[in-house]
Amino acid sequence: MRRNLLLLTILSAILLFVVMNNQYIATVYNAKQALKSNIDYDTKLSLVEGILVDYNLENKTFVLKLSKFEGQKVQLKWQIRVKDVSTLTELIERKTYHVAIQVDLNQHQFTATKNRYAFDYDAYLFANNIKGQYYLVALDDAYSCDTFCLECFRLNVRTWIQNQLTSHFSEAQSGFLQALLLGEKSQFENYAFYKDLGLAHIFAISGLHFGIIYQYFRKILAFKSDIMRSLIILSFMAFILLLVGGAYSAQRAFYMILYAETCHLMHRKIDSYTNIAASLLIILSMHPEAILSTGLHLSYFAYICVAIIYRKLFGKALKSKILEAIRFSVGIQILLLPATLYYFQTANLYGFLSNALIVPMTAVILPLSMLFLLASSIRLTFLAWPLSKLLALGINVFYYVGNYLPLDLSYFVQFKKSDFYALLIYAFFLSCSLIFWRFFLKRRMLLKLLFVSIVLLFIAWNIANDRSITVSFFDVGHGDMSLIQNGQTTILIDTGDGKVSSHSILRSRGIHNLDVLILSHEHADHIGSALELMQNMKIEQIYMNQATYDKLLTYDQPLNDQNIMILEKPIEHVYDTHSNHALILSVIPIKGAKGDEDPNDDAIVVTLEYGHSLGFFLGDISTAVIDDLLSNQSATLSKHANIDFVKSAHHGSKTAINTNLYDNFGIDYVFTSCSTKYKMPTVKLDALLKSHSIYHYTTYESGEIDVTIMREGIKIKRFLEP
């Protein structure tokens, strides 16, 4: 029964994930439809009242829990950005957390980039129940609370802790302790390094912290009354949960401890299956959007691996604690590897060593830091001073050991998230069969058939993918980045402006090698991430013009020009495919009459041919240069009845509207990469395309756009499907 309860809970969570993910996508899509990228909206001020519940000085943001919006009582959370961090600092120093502010409702929401498999900051906020993002226009009022306020108490305690740490420790040591105690990583400079070592869980308040504290309390508190001991333990755990802001991984740990203490009081055995199911149901019933949280996924997956799978595989612990620690570290890393790869696309092969050495040190530093804070709070200077020195020594040892730990992220480079899809489908059918086991007579035969069918479907899916060409237009804000794929052939055109890592986007898709990189022209919104990509990825051939090469030389990063070709005349690549048609890629340097003055017209454009399909990637060239291109490509155009798709020039700017192109070549689809930065694409382009019944998709409204070119035609898939 308890296993069935767990399986039903997990299946319910999967269904809830689908529902909430669709709700998130609909919310973002509707917000973008309400505020188009190419329209300049008038300011629409609104007065809102609420309480500041969290803040980030580095990012100049705070989270506002609304109490009134347009005169109506509401329960919402918004993220508010401030232009001047002194405004936020003053609120914190004065402890005036209750505020009345003015925001502009005609401000574009959900502007983080939307690419398949890549991190989506808006989704992260949505999962944490933050449904709006605005800039502070004016601060009308701010005051402290006269009566006890839980949110104010929490912020005051956090601020006090941060002040104590910064005054007693060096900047590096203080940043470390803030990350360890509060989950505040903005001041921890080495966080990225320790994350790569496989130690991110140490600095995310989760079951590790709660487990360490819980075990210490159970050993230290020697009350005759079990009820008194449980009340003290649960009260302190609730205080820690409040202090860290109720992170979902912390909530999971708290509810599991609550269940364990209840079992102790009732003299019942603790059941891991029931504990997982009950805690997950409590969290999701109060916060259904939490199902989208990566932190929640990793927290439960890690607990299941530790509490259930590891114990089932290895049984009793070894007599030698050292050998058991080694076995545990290696075993858990192997069990967590699928989740690590799925969410981070990489893993440190020596992570077991990092955890075996560092986690025991954390189990000492964490309680010592709490003792230091306790001594400071009651002004026991004679105790706080030696504890601070001991802590500083422990942190220095932590850093010393960390610097010598092996780090290699070059493994699993061919991994991509889609590799998990067949496994997830199979797990779904397996779970259903286990739940409804009694309804199946030939149980073993059913499982065999399910397994074989899933494997065959996965093989068929891969074969179908290999027989098609996929073109992806990535959402990189105001910039261009397009990927052409066929099987193992990968061709990238431009890299965006560098604000979004091109390397991270490609890595999340399992791409760690490029056959061809084409840089259209020298502007930063097309080559901003080029050097980063060259340093982190093997690229067989790079095409650019002289102006782009000269521009890259001016950057502060070294340029390895071993595989770079300065293109002066057109070149054609022909790639074999699994179908009867070849993929023909034409890379065409073109320079207009004003090319010396305007880098947009000194560029490289690309044409793609596959069977009867033809596509153009126009970079940022102007109308006059498009005319020159069409004249030069008459032979290519004569082979095709029409142009199937065009990546519009210059993000849909008015300088690149070529009526000849859109009037006379039977274009089916136009794709525009844009954000709200320059009010693009121009309304004139929208009207022109609409008059010719041409489908127009922008990365602002659709996020990443994936175009699959098959023998039967073209299929469009958007990240933000309405």
Side-chain angles (χ1 to χ4, degrees), residues 165-166 169-180 184 187-191 194 203 392 395-396 398-399:
L165 297 179
T166 53
F169 298 93
S170 68
E171 186 177 346
Q173 294 167 349
S174 172
F176 170 88
L177 287 173
Q178 287 186 51
L180 181 67
E184 176 56 60
Q187 305 300 316
F188 185 31
E189 294 181 357
N190 295 327
Y191 174 68
Y194 286 100
F203 305 104
I395 296 168
N396 290 336
F398 185 102
Y399 278 138

Side-chain angles (χ1 to χ4, degrees), residues 478 480 494 520-521 523 525-526 598-601 603-605 617-623 626 647-652 655-656:
H478 181 76
D480 269 7
D494 289 331
S520 64
H521 65 290
H523 278 159
D525 59 327
H526 291 251
D598 186 359
N600 288 333
D601 285 350
I604 294 175
V605 298
F617 301 81
L618 298 179
D620 281 358
I621 59 176
S622 65
T623 300
I626 294 175
K647 199 291 295 178
S648 68
H650 205 185
H651 319 286
T655 63

Side-chain angles (χ1 to χ4, degrees), residues 114-132:
K114 306 285 180 292
N115 293 298
R116 213 173 300 279
Y117 312 126
F119 175 70
D120 181 359
Y121 182 67
D122 292 331
Y124 163 77
L125 293 178
F126 188 89
N128 286 279
N129 200 27
I130 297 174
K131 304 296 175 63

Side-chain angles (χ1 to χ4, degrees), residues 310 318 320-332 352-353 356:
Y310 179 82
L318 298 174
S320 170
K321 291 185 177 180
I322 296 176
L323 291 178
E324 174 58 26
I326 295 173
R327 186 179 74 170
F328 180 80
S329 296
V330 175
I332 292 302
F352 71 93
L353 183 61

Side-chain angles (χ1 to χ4, degrees), residues 7 11 428-450:
L7 286 171
L11 288 175
F428 176 80
F429 281 109
L430 180 62
S431 300
C432 287
S433 63
L434 289 173
I435 291 173
F436 303 108
W437 188 259
R438 63 176 64 87
F439 297 113
F440 302 113
L441 298 177
K442 299 181 179 180
R443 298 167 185 171
R444 293 182 180 178
M445 181 60 67
L446 174 67
L447 291 180
K448 289 178 181 178
L449 288 174
L450 283 173

Side-chain angles (χ1 to χ4, degrees), residues 119-190:
F119 175 70
D120 181 359
Y121 182 67
D122 292 331
Y124 163 77
L125 293 178
F126 188 89
N128 286 279
N129 200 27
I130 297 174
K131 304 296 175 63
Q133 301 165 61
Y134 296 94
Y135 276 94
L136 176 67
V137 175
L139 177 63
D140 283 11
D141 192 16
Y143 56 93
S144 57
C145 193
D146 295 331
T147 58
F148 178 77
C149 172
L150 202 59
E151 289 85 356
C152 297
F153 171 73
R154 171 182 172 271
L155 286 180
N156 286 334
V157 173
R158 283 180 67 95
T159 303
W160 179 83
I161 291 175
Q162 289 173 337
N163 291 336
Q164 289 296 315
L165 297 179
T166 53
S167 61
H168 287 83
F169 298 93
S170 68
E171 186 177 346
Q173 294 167 349
S174 172
F176 170 88
L177 287 173
Q178 287 186 51
L180 181 67
L181 291 169
L182 304 175
E184 176 56 60
K185 296 177 278 290
S186 61
Q187 305 300 316
F188 185 31
E189 294 181 357
N190 295 327

